[in-house]
Amino acid sequence: INRGKDLPTIAMDMRKDNLVIGQIWLIPMSEQCYQIHLTEVIKKERGYTLDFSREALRVGFASIPKIEKVFALIPVHNRLVIKLAQKCGFKKEGNLTNSFLYDGNMEDQVMYSLSKENL
């Protein structure tokens, strides 16, 4: 939610052998809170994703000093991304019931957050 302000969105490419294999987006919800989004390709790139995600978060917090917290909304069935969020330092905030359409069915999501001081 931009709330009428011109807030920056950060998009970073993940590269392997000079090819873009995915992106991480930091999308503003307010001046202090952003949501992180990983593309599907990144989720499947083992060995690169953790370091790239940590660096993207570091760059995001450094680039926009007002960011205090980043949120991740993850479908409960996506255990690999939940594990990635935990390794990056995200903490579980709670569950969102029937909040995500997956394969024709409404599924739950889990909300994780990372505060600037916990980076």
Side-chain angles (χ1 to χ4, degrees), residues 50-63:
L50 180 59
D51 289 340
F52 182 69
S53 298
R54 285 179 176 159
E55 180 65 8
L57 289 162
R58 188 195 64 73
V59 167
F61 278 114
S63 299

Side-chain angles (χ1 to χ4, degrees), residues 26-114:
L26 291 173
I27 302 164
M29 298 169 63
S30 72
E31 285 185 351
Q32 292 82 24
C33 298
Y34 276 62
Q35 183 176 348
I36 190 168
H37 175 77
L38 282 69
T39 60
E40 284 296 322
V41 179
I42 285 180
K43 295 176 189 176
K44 296 174 184 170
E45 280 297 324
R46 295 180 182 246
Y48 296 90
T49 308
L50 180 59
D51 289 340
F52 182 69
S53 298
R54 285 179 176 159
E55 180 65 8
L57 289 162
R58 188 195 64 73
V59 167
F61 278 114
S63 299
I64 305 173
K66 288 187 177 183
I67 295 178
E68 293 296 327
K69 194 175 247 192
V70 173
F71 290 95
L73 300 173
I74 308 167
V76 293
H77 68 269
N78 200 334
R79 304 227 184 271
L80 287 176
V81 175
I82 290 172
K83 192 173 182 178
L84 172 65
Q86 292 169 340
K87 286 182 177 181
C88 286
F90 281 78
K91 303 294 182 210
K92 185 176 178 180
E93 294 270 349
N95 291 327
L96 301 168
T97 307
N98 293 324
S99 60
F100 180 73
L101 185 62
Y102 178 75
D103 220 9
N105 298 309
M106 292 303 291
E107 301 254 339
D108 294 350
Q109 291 182 99
V110 63
M111 181 188 292
Y112 278 82
S113 71
L114 177 67

Side-chain angles (χ1 to χ4, degrees), residues 5-25:
K5 296 186 180 186
D6 190 22
L7 300 174
T9 296
I10 298 174
M12 289 168 259
D13 291 337
M14 180 176 167
R15 296 178 179 271
K16 179 179 175 185
D17 302 325
N18 291 323
L19 297 173
V20 175
I21 57 172
Q23 291 183 328
I24 288 182
W25 291 76

